[in-house]
Amino acid sequence: MTVLAIDTSTDVASLSLWQRGQVIWTRELSSKKTHSSALFPALEEVRDIAGKIDRIAVGLGPGSYAGVRIAIAAVLGLQIVWDCEVVGLPSVLGLGGVHDSFRVIGDARRGSWYYSEVLNGVCVDGPRLLESADALKELLAASEGLLISTDELSADWKSERRLPDARILAQLAALDLGITQRDDLEPLYLREPHITPANPTKVG
């Protein structure tokens, strides 16, 4: 199986191509604003070297909502062109090896946090939202194992910072591990999107 994996859930995006049981191509893209300008040239490069793509795997977050939406829109277009399967995995799975076990925490903004536990390429808990740092600390005290975060956290959390790696997501997707969505992909929502209603138009 030939698998293309894409993760754009953080400021550093990654793409990887898995073929004949190994990674044959990978790219890392860094952007503080948007991945769209760098992502599409990289996808053009993939098209030139890959031949037939059987499956495209997308990291669904948690992370940048806009970044994940860009990746989803891109692969849905490629699915039509390449006539391939599209699958989604939690981006946290790309933080450790396929057979690793670890915990993941992250700042979910507005005073809240998220937590996930990964075992052998599968999220066995989460990603789920915790409404306060105290709630997260209580949960961490009752669990054990390597603690990872995609955020730069204070030393008090004793977490190791890593970013999702498309090479790991590609391998997982090739092994049919960790997949949570197929074809109709949506970012992982920790909470309902916050939308500020427009001010009503004054008449008269």
Side-chain angles (χ1 to χ4, degrees), residues 20-157:
R20 297 184 297 276
Q22 62 182 346
V23 171
I24 66 167
W25 175 92
T26 190
R27 285 290 180 274
E28 192 173 272
L29 313 171
S30 182
S31 174
K32 293 294 184 182
K33 294 182 179 180
T34 177
H35 289 303
S36 59
S37 59
L39 178 61
F40 290 98
L43 291 173
E44 288 284 337
E45 186 177 347
V46 171
R47 185 185 64 180
D48 292 339
I49 67 173
K52 178 173 172 53
I53 299 287
D54 300 301
R55 176 178 288 177
I56 307 177
V58 183
L60 301 175
S64 166
Y65 174 83
V68 174
R69 293 297 300 183
I70 287 170
I72 289 175
V75 302
L76 291 180
L78 291 174
Q79 181 184 31
I80 297 172
V81 174
W82 290 343
D83 189 27
C84 60
E85 182 184 14
V86 172
V87 300
L89 302 84
S91 295
V92 295
L93 295 180
L95 298 173
V98 171
H99 302 295
D100 290 347
S101 299
F102 51 93
R103 301 169 297 164
V104 184
I105 61 174
D107 186 350
R109 310 299 184 259
R110 292 185 248 162
S112 60
W113 297 78
Y114 74 82
Y115 173 85
S116 188
E117 185 174 349
V118 176
L119 177 62
N120 293 327
V122 177
C123 284
V124 295
D125 187 354
R128 58 183 166 115
L129 187 68
L130 298 166
E131 294 296 344
S132 68
D134 287 341
L136 176 59
K137 289 175 181 177
E138 183 177 342
L139 179 59
L140 293 177
S143 62
E144 59 183 19
L146 175 65
L147 188 62
I148 300 172
S149 176
T150 60
D151 300 306
E152 195 72 65
L153 302 181
S154 70
D156 295 340
W157 288 103

Side-chain angles (χ1 to χ4, degrees), residues 157-204:
W157 288 103
K158 299 179 181 179
S159 62
E160 177 181 325
R161 187 172 188 240
R162 298 183 186 178
L163 296 176
D165 190 335
R167 292 174 297 181
I168 299 169
L169 297 180
Q171 185 177 2
L172 288 169
L175 296 171
D176 221 28
L177 290 174
I179 296 170
T180 58
Q181 297 180 24
R182 295 179 185 270
D183 295 323
D184 295 327
L185 305 185
E186 288 288 341
L188 287 177
Y189 295 105
L190 294 172
R191 58 164 65 88
E192 289 299 318
H194 180 71
I195 301 173
T196 303
N199 292 327
T201 304
K202 293 182 179 180
V203 179

